[in-house]
């Protein structure tokens, strides 16, 4: 069950996050900074309107952007790769070289000079990859932290209520929070997996084990050896408190 694993690898050089199992940016109102427009850079996309200068499809206006992002949740086949941009006028100032760099990003999932363009004023590059991996370049990393918090909270909520009987009331789960959220960043740099399918439950305390996967994507969907866990994220349903415990060799 791949859906029971959350994988995160944070590349500090490119300021991007490669992930799987995270509630992604293709969700209505999931962003602090809603894009004004989107440049759709994935082959075969037919939504939006064609922009003759770049050769890409575009989504114009925040309301249309929100509707498009929301459609990616309702129908995963609508997921696309995109770059946000501030205005059509500035988009049309892109040079052929800059457009070719965007094509390179779309196909190689990496940038040549910078993932953030002065003319586009983009805050994100969203790339949908094979096997449900997602790579996002963030101008502001706190945007990803929002995604992580929501994903962990929702996943724990589902787990706590997994065996709820039909007539029972759903238990609420407190929003994920630990005293020092920046403590997570070094873990993300290592490339970690949170395995909810190997969760330990005792007396209303849920421990999600943490494993190092680095950038070895083939490891993500396998069952980990429990002895390889370097720590855990814990949620206590009675106190409604979260905690993080880990130790590197």
């Amino acid at each position: 069950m791949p859906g029971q694993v959350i994988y995160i690898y944070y590349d500090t050089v490119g300021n991007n996050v490669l992930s799987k199992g995270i509630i992604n940016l293709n969700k209505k109102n999931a962003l602090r900074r809603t894009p004004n427009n989107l440049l759709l850079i994935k082959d075969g996309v037919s939504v939006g309107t064609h922009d003759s200068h770049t050769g890409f499809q575009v989504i114009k206006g925040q309301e249309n952007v929100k509707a498009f992002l929301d459609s990616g949740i309702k129908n995963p086949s609508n997921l696309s790769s995109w770059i946000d941009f501030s205005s059509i006028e500035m988009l049309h100032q892109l040079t052929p070289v800059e457009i070719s760099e965007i094509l390179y990003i779309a196909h190689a999932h990496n940038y040549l000079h910078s993932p953030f363009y002065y003319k586009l004023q983009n805050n994100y590059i969203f790339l949908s990859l094979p096997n449900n991996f997602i790579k996002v370049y963030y101008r502001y990393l706190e945007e990803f932290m929002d995604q992580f918090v929501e994903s962990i909270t929702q996943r724990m909520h589902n787990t706590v209520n997994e065996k709820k009987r039909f007539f029972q009331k759903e238990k609420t789960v407190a929003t994920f929070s630990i005293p020092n959220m920046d403590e997570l960043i070094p873990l993300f740099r290592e490339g970690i997996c949170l395995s909810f399918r190997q969760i330990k439950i005792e007396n209303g305390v849920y421990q999600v084990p943490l494993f190092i996967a680095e950038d070895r994507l083939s490891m993500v969907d396998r069952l980990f050896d429990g002895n390889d866990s370097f720590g855990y994220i814990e949620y206590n349903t009675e106190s409604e408190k979260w905690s993080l415990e880990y130790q590197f060799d």
Side-chain angles (χ1 to χ4, degrees):
M1 295 178 64
Q4 294 300 310
V5 174
I6 291 178
Y7 167 74
I8 303 162
Y9 179 72
Y10 173 42
D11 175 9
T12 57
V13 176
N15 217 41
N16 67 75
V17 178
L18 177 64
S19 68
K20 187 171 186 176
I22 290 288
I23 296 174
N24 58 61
L25 290 184
N26 283 46
K27 184 181 179 186
K28 189 176 182 179
N29 299 326
L31 304 176
R32 295 189 189 186
R33 303 166 178 86
T34 302
N36 292 326
N37 312 280
L38 298 181
L39 190 66
L40 307 183
I41 60 175
K42 190 173 184 178
D43 290 337
V45 176
S46 58
V47 298
T49 58
H50 180 76
D51 179 71
S52 60
H53 179 75
T54 61
F56 295 115
Q57 299 291 111
V58 298
I59 305 290
K60 301 177 184 178
Q62 288 189 344
E63 290 306 311
N64 289 329
V65 166
K66 289 179 181 179
F68 171 75
L69 298 182
D70 194 32
S71 73
I73 288 295
K74 294 178 180 177
N75 183 1
S77 65
N78 290 343
L79 284 175
S80 181
S81 297
W82 51 262
I83 300 176
D84 63 298
F85 65 96
S86 60
S87 72
I88 292 292
E89 292 75 19
M90 292 299 290
L91 177 71
H92 289 168
Q93 290 185 28
L94 287 176
T95 66
V97 171
E98 289 168 329
I99 294 171
S100 68
E101 288 183 11
I102 293 173
L103 281 168
Y104 179 81
I105 290 172
H107 292 282
H109 306 139
N110 208 344
Y111 62 92
L112 291 175
H113 297 101
S114 170
F116 303 107
Y117 294 82
Y118 170 76
K119 293 175 183 176
L120 298 182
Q121 292 292 296
N122 62 305
N123 290 318
Y124 319 95
I125 299 179
F126 179 94
L127 302 170
S128 57
L129 277 57
N131 300 318
N132 297 315
F133 284 95
I134 291 171
K135 186 175 186 180
V136 184
Y137 290 86
Y138 294 91
R139 188 182 292 271
Y140 306 99
L141 186 63
E142 65 264 24
E143 294 273 14
F144 171 74
M145 296 303 292
D146 289 348
Q147 305 293 317
F148 177 75
V149 165
E150 184 173 356
S151 295
I152 294 296
T153 305
Q154 186 61 52
R155 191 85 59 176
M156 185 60 73
H157 178 272
N158 294 343
T159 302
V160 167
N161 289 284
E162 187 175 21
K163 295 183 179 180
K164 180 186 74 68
R165 296 183 180 181
F166 177 77
F167 57 86
Q168 290 179 317
K169 184 179 179 180
E170 273 197 341
K171 296 179 181 179
T172 60
V173 170
T175 300
F176 174 76
S177 179
I178 57 176
N180 181 12
M181 292 294 285
D182 287 342
E183 191 178 358
L184 293 165
I185 304 301
L187 304 185
F188 295 163
R189 289 181 185 137
E190 295 291 331
I192 64 168
C193 279
L194 292 78
S195 183
F196 277 80
R197 62 187 169 190
Q198 292 174 255
I199 196 169
K200 297 178 181 179
I201 308 170
E202 185 175 352
N203 298 324
V205 177
Y206 291 68
Q207 288 185 351
V208 184
L210 305 174
F211 300 93
I212 296 291
E214 298 177 326
D215 58 355
R216 294 168 291 177
L217 304 188
S218 61
M219 296 180 61
V220 173
D221 290 330
R222 69 177 179 84
L223 194 66
F224 292 91
D225 185 334
N227 294 324
D228 292 336
S229 172
F230 70 91
Y232 56 85
I233 285 178
E234 180 179 281
Y235 180 69
N236 187 314
T237 57
E238 183 174 344
S239 65
E240 298 187 325
K241 298 293 185 182
W242 292 86
S243 59
L244 168 67
E245 299 289 341
Y246 67 92
Q247 183 175 359
F248 289 128
D249 294 331

